[in-house]
Amino acid sequence: MTAALSVLEYHLVNYRRTWRSSALSTLVMPLLTMLGFGVGVGAYVSGGVAGVPYIDWIVPGLIASTALQAAVGEATWPVLSYFEWLKVYFAQAAAPLRVADILGGHLAFMLFRILLSAAAFLAIAAAFGTLHSWWAPLTLVVALLVGLATAAPTVAYAATITSDSYLIILMRFAVLPMSLFSGVFFPVESLPVVLRWLAYAFPLWHGVDLSRDAMLGLNPGCIGLVHVAYLLAWCAAGCWLAHYRFRRRLVI
């Protein structure tokens, strides 16, 4: 644990030097999204969704989607660069660090970045008056679950490839469909049956549903436990795959 914290400290020290480059986008993107989708598109959705104003209905999904985007952003090019171009992982492996320490420290930093992004979006949402439940802060916990469920398998994928061309494939055929068809912008019930079950398979849909219940003060019931268990399964499988791929590349 101490060694993994040292790896986390390494990433935090680097981030202390570069945080200004991402701070503006972390605040501006939620604001533009709220104005564009929540206010702009919401003006044309009369009656909202299931009796809920569109801006209130869409915000929980946007927070979960923000966690997804932050996770993918941290788990793709940075991981590939640490293997292929900067060789940071190999330098860390040459130190008295285990593979679990290297991976765990970097995943912890990713969760830190995901939490910052989700918290910034939640703060913007509060400024727009879309928080109607004391359970709303639980969306940050859901964001961490969605983030790890996304980041861990993405790290495993990035540790497998040798060119960033494969990351473009991931974005087009996995991240983009997941972002569009997971109930963020419209109910998945309006999709054809095949696409609906595809949405259910995505981890993001489960996070969106949990976030929406928390933001609107709804009781998720037993389905909430199913959502949590499904996201934890993605986290566990992703971490195992990432550790396996890291070990294959770092241990000679």
Side-chain angles (χ1 to χ4, degrees):
M1 180 62 71
T2 302
L5 290 176
S6 297
V7 176
L8 171 61
E9 182 183 5
Y10 164 81
H11 292 289
L12 290 175
V13 169
N14 281 342
Y15 184 64
R16 186 176 64 182
R17 301 190 183 111
T18 61
W19 67 271
R20 294 175 183 82
S21 61
S22 62
L24 184 62
S25 62
T26 300
L27 294 174
V28 171
M29 286 305 295
L31 179 60
L32 294 179
T33 305
M34 290 287 293
L35 290 173
F37 286 100
V39 178
V41 177
Y44 295 93
V45 185
S46 59
V49 180
V52 178
Y54 187 69
I55 189 171
D56 294 344
W57 188 87
I58 197 176
V59 162
L62 291 174
I63 293 176
S65 182
T66 296
L68 167 77
Q69 300 295 334
V72 171
E74 292 293 331
T76 48
W77 275 273
V79 173
L80 180 62
S81 68
Y82 279 11
F83 274 117
E84 295 297 322
W85 306 315
L86 302 179
K87 307 293 184 181
V88 170
Y89 289 139
F90 295 99
Q92 291 177 340
L97 292 171
R98 302 174 302 164
V99 171
D101 299 327
I102 298 171
L103 175 62
H106 202 173
L107 284 176
F109 173 74
M110 293 178 193
L111 289 177
F112 168 74
R113 291 284 289 115
I114 292 164
L115 182 61
L116 284 183
S117 299
F121 208 118
L122 188 65
I124 297 295
F128 276 79
T130 61
L131 305 188
H132 305 291
S133 170
W134 290 105
W135 296 104
L138 283 180
T139 55
L140 298 180
V141 179
V142 176
L144 290 175
L145 270 177
V146 172
L148 184 58
T150 305
T154 304
V155 166
Y157 178 78
T160 303
I161 61 178
T162 56
S163 170
D164 59 353
S165 299
Y166 295 100
L167 296 180
I168 304 299
I169 296 174
L170 176 71
M171 295 293 180
R172 290 179 178 175
F173 295 102
V175 177
L176 183 58
M178 194 189 312
S179 301
L180 293 177
F181 302 118
S182 292
V184 177
F185 304 102
F186 53 85
V188 296
E189 290 77 16
S190 62
L191 292 170
V193 175
V194 175
L195 289 179
R196 192 182 309 167
W197 281 101
L198 183 62
Y200 295 154
F202 290 145
L204 179 57
W205 175 76
H206 298 269
V208 169
D209 215 38
L210 285 171
S211 294
R212 193 158 285 141
D213 287 338
M215 291 282 285
L216 299 179
L218 303 176
N219 182 5
C222 293
I223 190 64
L225 297 177
V226 174
H227 290 326
V228 172
Y230 190 73
L231 289 173
L232 288 175
W234 270 83
C235 294
C239 288
W240 183 86
L241 284 172
H243 185 271
Y244 173 76
R245 290 308 310 169
F246 268 55
R247 187 172 181 83
R248 286 289 298 271
R249 295 196 66 172
L250 296 178
V251 178
I252 301 177

